[in-house]
Amino acid sequence: MESFQTLDAGRCQVHTLLHPAFRTKELSLRFHLRMARNRVTEVAMLPAVWMNGTRSLPSYRQIALATDHLYGTHIRASISKRGGYHIVEVGASVPDVPGEDEAALVDRALDLVLSLALDHAIGAGGFAEAAVQREKELHRRRIRAVRDDKAAYALQRCHQIVCRGRPAGLPRLGFEEDVEALLPDRLYEVYQQVLAQAEVHAYAVGQFRDMAGLAARVADRLAKALPTKPAMRADEVDRDVVLPAELRDFEEVTEAEDAQQTQFDLAFASGVGFGDDEYPALVMMNGVFGGFAHSKLFMSIRERRSLAYSVWSFVDAATGLLTVYAGISADKRDEVRQILEAELEALRRGEIEASEWQETRATLRNQYQQMLDQPAMLIAWHHHAVIAGRDRTIPEMIESVDQVRPEDAAALATALRPVCLYVLEGRGSRT
């Protein structure tokens, strides 16, 4: 597989990957910037605001009509986070249409993507008063909906507690209490901040006949539309990896909600993030510990003892937090914790069966191989590597995982420090 080629245009970077196996051409424009409490909610709303209209296409209906002339091209806008970075994306998946002029179709899709991100004015399209009012109500609903997925919400709360006071501790969608006071002028002000301060990365992945020409056109268009002040590069800001030595004392927090299950989340600081040499070993260790259905925690807590509805462990690549999360009955929390700690101690002693090790490595290889077949995943992986300041490709990750030894995983398990137990107790979960 070929690797991404990068055109550095100063204010932005254009990354291209010629991939003849993909029938769909993927275009993506990504802005990433540090999260801040005084604008986190406004930034989170921007993708939806963009989709509500631009100066040239002042309503969602007109945007939808524009896509009708692009032969099934899918246009998207989204907000995500990576550690303490907000990522604002607008993109397009352009189908391969036999008999259609490829360059013309791609250029029209590119025009629409750039228009959604850059063609805005105060009082027009998505920044019109009526559109902003509608979007505020929708955003309130999005924030409230986060609590409906209790497992995801508990994991978010656990990480917020550990990362309190840091950008990484801010929620992806911001805060409901911020929404009511938001006015179009304020949203547009934050939009201008994003254009001026964010790192900008454009992507093109797929079968393009003139990839170099496309990259040059994208760079030229962005250079003309973006403020000329260079944004701060990712390697000039602090990493979000939580270092055990910097942490406060262990915290145990219990909250309650109306739910049948209790969510149990125990976070450990590893001090290792995506950009570190030890990251593949951390991923392997997590896979043996609780990442999969063959892992120690799943087999010991769920399969053998039936103490949990589900139990997994998860590594956050940006913060280096390894979190065990389980859906349990409230009266089982102490027993689950004791077994979890016993399994971790066994891992620290190097008690790893050959079958556990081999199955973990095979499962990880399969996951990474599947990513190679998904253009959007290739883009996300590359962009996350840019943010981490580490040029590590998926094939390189596969090779690194193959080289990890059981003693490497045991050493990382030994270095884990428990930092927070968060329990979201379901009022109907006691037996």
Side-chain angles (χ1 to χ4, degrees):
M1 174 185 164
E2 294 189 25
S3 59
F4 277 96
Q5 303 299 308
T6 297
L7 173 61
D8 191 339
R11 183 62 180 85
C12 64
Q13 292 188 331
V14 183
H15 311 279
T16 58
L17 178 63
L18 187 63
H19 203 306
F22 296 151
R23 304 296 295 175
T24 299
K25 300 171 181 66
E26 201 74 23
L27 300 172
S28 175
L29 181 60
R30 290 172 160 240
F31 302 80
H32 73 259
L33 74 166
R34 293 299 277 174
M35 301 175 77
R37 177 61 186 90
N38 63 354
R39 68 182 181 196
V40 62
T41 308
E42 292 92 326
V43 174
M45 289 179 63
L46 285 180
V49 168
W50 291 354
M51 290 295 289
N52 284 334
T54 67
R55 285 188 296 185
S56 56
L57 298 169
S59 70
Y60 175 79
R61 181 174 183 275
Q62 287 175 283
I63 293 172
L65 288 173
T67 64
D68 288 344
H69 300 291
L70 295 176
Y71 299 93
T73 293
H74 172 65
I75 299 292
R76 65 185 181 278
S78 66
I79 187 73
S80 58
K81 65 168 289 188
R82 182 77 166 182
Y85 285 94
H86 246 153
I87 302 172
V88 187
E89 184 202 19
V90 59
S93 300
V94 186
D96 185 18
V97 182
E100 180 66 19
D101 185 339
E102 176 199 280
L105 180 58
V106 169
D107 278 347
R108 295 204 303 274
L110 177 61
D111 286 343
L112 184 53
V113 167
L114 294 176
S115 174
L116 288 171
L118 304 171
D119 182 28
H120 295 284
I122 187 66
F127 289 95
E129 177 69 32
V132 169
Q133 291 302 320
R134 288 194 302 270
E135 195 53 47
K136 285 165 62 173
E137 179 55 34
L138 292 172
H139 199 69
R140 288 191 194 93
R141 296 178 188 177
R142 293 186 196 105
I143 293 173
R144 293 168 187 165
V146 171
R147 300 182 76 104
D148 293 339
D149 185 340
K150 302 304 182 187
Y153 173 72
L155 182 62
Q156 175 182 288
R157 283 285 295 126
C158 184
H159 285 198
Q160 285 176 339
I161 293 166
V162 175
C163 298
R164 186 189 301 115
R166 305 166 181 246
L170 294 169
R172 177 179 65 93
L173 294 177
F175 299 89
E176 185 176 356
E177 60 264 30
D178 296 349
V179 175
E180 181 57 37
L182 288 181
L183 298 174
D185 287 4
R186 172 58 182 166
L187 274 175
Y188 192 77
E189 177 188 358
V190 171
Y191 166 62
Q192 292 295 315
Q193 291 176 14
V194 170
L195 296 186
Q197 299 173 17
E199 274 199 43
V200 184
H201 295 265
Y203 287 86
V205 176
Q207 296 186 63
F208 294 90
R209 292 195 185 98
D210 182 16
M211 187 69 92
L214 174 63
R217 292 198 302 277
V218 172
D220 182 65
R221 295 280 296 277
L222 289 172
K224 291 177 179 177
L226 294 169
T228 56
K229 179 182 177 182
M232 185 179 292
R233 292 296 187 197
D235 57 1
E236 296 173 354
V237 299
D238 293 335
R239 297 195 314 160
D240 289 309
V241 174
V242 177
L243 300 177
E246 296 177 352
L247 290 167
R248 297 172 290 271
D249 293 337
F250 180 82
E251 294 187 68
E252 188 166 336
V253 178
T254 299
E255 297 174 344
E257 286 216 353
D258 288 324
Q260 290 303 307
Q261 288 186 29
T262 284
Q263 302 298 326
F264 173 103
D265 289 68
L266 180 57
F268 298 84
S270 71
V272 175
F274 181 91
D276 294 308
D277 292 340
E278 301 89 349
Y279 180 69
L282 177 63
V283 171
M284 276 294 292
M285 184 268 286
N286 177 69
V288 172
F289 185 41
F292 305 113
H294 67 266
S295 303
K296 292 181 179 293
L297 293 181
F298 191 89
M299 296 302 297
S300 183
I301 294 175
R302 186 183 187 279
E303 293 299 288
R304 297 193 190 105
R305 297 177 175 85
S306 299
L307 293 175
Y309 305 100
S310 61
V311 57
W312 310 98
S313 63
F314 161 79
V315 169
D316 182 82
T319 62
L321 293 174
L322 185 152
T323 307
V324 178
Y325 57 103
I328 62 174
S329 296
D331 56 350
K332 303 297 184 184
R333 60 187 283 182
D334 291 338
E335 189 175 359
V336 166
R337 184 173 179 180
Q338 289 171 4
I339 297 170
L340 182 162
E341 291 173 346
E343 291 294 348
L344 180 58
E345 285 303 317
L347 187 54
R348 287 167 169 166
R349 293 191 299 269
E351 297 176 10
I352 302 172
E353 299 290 338
S355 59
E356 292 176 319
W357 191 254
Q358 293 166 4
E359 192 165 358
T360 296
R361 184 155 52 198
T363 305
L364 285 170
R365 285 182 60 90
N366 184 58
Q367 285 186 347
Y368 293 134
Q369 291 286 355
Q370 289 180 9
M371 289 183 186
L372 293 173
D373 295 328
Q374 302 174 57
M377 291 301 300
L378 291 172
I379 291 172
W381 178 279
H382 185 275
H383 187 224
H384 293 161
V386 168
I387 293 174
R390 175 68 181 261
D391 184 14
R392 174 184 275 138
T393 67
I394 296 175
E396 288 170 350
M397 184 66 183
I398 294 173
E399 182 179 349
S400 296
V401 163
D402 284 344
Q403 294 173 355
V404 177
R405 303 167 302 171
E407 51 264 41
D408 300 327
L412 273 173
T414 301
L416 290 180
R417 175 183 169 187
V419 289
C420 178
L421 172 62
Y422 174 77
V423 178
L424 183 64
E425 190 167 290
R427 296 188 179 99
S429 69
R430 289 193 174 272
T431 58

